[in-house]
Amino acid sequence: MDTTKIPPNPNKKRKTNQNPETTFLINLQSCTKSKDLQTAISLFESALSQNLRLSLHHFNALLYLCSNFATDTSAKDSAIDYGFRVFNHMLSNKAVPNEASVTSIVRLASAKKDGDYAFELIKKMNKDYNLVPRLRTYDPALLCFCENLEAEKAYEVEEHMGSMGVRLEEQEIVALLKVSSETGRGERVYEYLQKLRNSVRCVSEGTTKAIEDWFHGEKATEVKGVSFDEGLVKEAVLKNGGGWHGLGWIGDGKWVSKRGSLDENGKCCCCGHQLVSVDINDAETEKFAESIAGLATEREVKANFSEFQDWLEQHADYEAIVDGANIGLYQQNFAEGGFSIPQLDAVVKELYTRNGNKWPLIILHNKRLRSLLENPSHRKLVQEWMDKGVLYMTPHGSNDDWYWLYAAVKLRCLLATNDEMRDHIFELLGTNCFLKWKERHQVRYTFIKCNLKLQLPPPYSSVIQESEKGSWHVPILINNDESSQTWLCITRSTVVEPCDKAKALENTETSENGHGLCWNDETLNSCNS
């Protein structure tokens, strides 16, 4: 019999007796997963009787579980009572709350309809504990004030959110819009419609109802529109990038709202208003251009890019910029492929024709340009571009992406490229204005059997739009499907574009989205007048 001792395995986990605090936490986590509030409360009582030393993790697990039952009718009262008891015990034990702790207790305070205490907690967490609240922290207090029609207190919460850099989303904007609507604050309703326009593209059904409720109510009719000079309104629309002026309510009288569709060019079938393609405003454009220039000078030879900026100041009358490399190399990944000068020439000539015989600016890297000049069959055309001053050569070591992007933004003109602009240099710019700018300015292209087809920016943008006459058009998201687009048309009863009755009936019968039913006798009569 071999009596040799087997050495212990150092990697084998030894069974150890768990301490009471660990056992308590494991059991508590089990209650959280199974949503068992009563057992969690019993565990907490047992922990107190044993004088267990509870950590922040223990307290947060209990607070989170209690806050989850704050809206449960059967368990709401006990959840609120025990939640506050846990929080008070936490503070008495000198445990410093974190953002999760405060968010849970704010939810409980709001469920108790005590928005004041909830908001005080938020301010205290920032002042005393140097904690930065998040949107989820503010939501319960903000929504509590809105539901209680305490508009001024809700506005105070919104102001505090802004000071902390917390951005409102659709739910919060709609809550503020509703409390403003129900308390008759017309100027605030206008403000939140503008914030909604700036934050979301297509609104939900719930948001649509909140908007309809305001315009259908008497308080909306009572708000007198401000009289503005027509030129001032048009100037504001142009400055803001189109689609809104932001000056305030325009016109007087009853509001009429209908749901309908647009034709392929963006004309509303209900009122005849032409929607537009919305651009970023002047301030955003300047900030965007400065951001590109700042990043470019960090990563390029500063003198090279500064020279381009100075050159562009002296040649600022272009209406289109061409990404030469992107077009010349399009579909050239085959054995005989190279740089296709005919493709580039076709795009340049098409843009020249479309822009009233104005040449676009072609951006090409100097290495690419030299190889084209060395080719006898290409030299003449390239030299013509150079002689006309429509070709800019980016210097050695530079990334021409910075050049064509900056030029297109700075000159507020079209950009011909299929580049989706998803590379790291574009990620540096962020997405706040970038996507809106791309939609409005990028011209895509295809070559089918050597025939060019340009895809220009869409004739209108699917975003909330405010017309120069004070009307509103709101895109509605139905069942999360943007392809079946319905629009809410809101206009004064005196503002309806003249149109042909037969055309109106045709729109009703042929509406692809089935929303032609927005036409009724009232609309047809106004169109026929």
Side-chain angles (χ1 to χ4, degrees), residues 16 33 110 150 154 157 198 231 296 298 335 372 397-398 423 475 496 513:
T16 58
K33 289 180 181 179
S110 300
E150 297 177 279
V157 175
N198 197 42
E298 285 178 12
L372 292 174
S398 293
D423 296 343
V496 179
N513 300 327

Side-chain angles (χ1 to χ4, degrees), residues 107-159:
R107 290 177 65 188
L108 290 166
S110 300
K112 200 178 178 181
K113 302 298 181 184
D114 193 349
D116 293 313
Y117 180 65
F119 189 32
E120 285 302 318
L121 278 171
I122 295 170
K123 290 186 285 188
K124 184 179 177 65
M125 72 177 280
N126 178 247
K127 182 180 178 182
D128 295 352
Y129 305 119
N130 199 30
L131 297 172
V132 179
R134 294 162 61 181
L135 181 62
R136 69 175 189 176
T137 317
Y138 283 107
D139 260 356
L142 178 66
L143 299 179
C144 179
F145 286 138
C146 289
E147 289 169 6
N148 294 339
L149 299 183
E150 297 177 279
E152 293 302 328
K153 292 180 179 180
Y155 302 150
E156 188 181 349
V157 175
E158 181 197 7
E159 185 179 350

Side-chain angles (χ1 to χ4, degrees), residues 424-443:
H424 67 283
I425 72 164
F426 304 107
E427 291 175 359
L428 295 170
L429 299 169
T431 58
N432 198 20
C433 295
F434 198 17
L435 295 178
K436 187 191 291 186
W437 180 86
K438 273 180 63 179
E439 181 187 59
R440 176 67 180 81
H441 291 270
Q442 185 173 8
V443 178

Side-chain angles (χ1 to χ4, degrees), residues 204-244:
S204 65
E205 274 287 3
T207 300
T208 305
K209 185 179 184 307
I211 295 172
E212 286 176 318
D213 287 346
W214 161 252
F215 285 104
H216 291 168
E218 293 182 2
K219 293 184 176 66
T221 305
E222 293 170 359
V223 175
K224 299 298 181 182
V226 182
S227 178
F228 291 107
D229 175 75
E230 186 176 336
L232 177 65
V233 178
K234 287 185 176 181
E235 182 182 343
V237 170
L238 185 64
K239 180 180 178 181
N240 291 332
W244 66 286

Side-chain angles (χ1 to χ4, degrees), residues 78-121:
S78 59
I80 292 173
D81 290 342
Y82 270 96
F84 276 99
R85 185 178 173 188
V86 169
F87 188 64
N88 291 331
H89 187 72
M90 173 183 176
L91 296 178
S92 65
N93 278 265
K94 309 299 182 185
V96 178
N98 61 10
E99 184 273 333
S101 320
V102 177
T103 297
S104 292
I105 202 67
V106 164
R107 290 177 65 188
L108 290 166
S110 300
K112 200 178 178 181
K113 302 298 181 184
D114 193 349
D116 293 313
Y117 180 65
F119 189 32
E120 285 302 318
L121 278 171

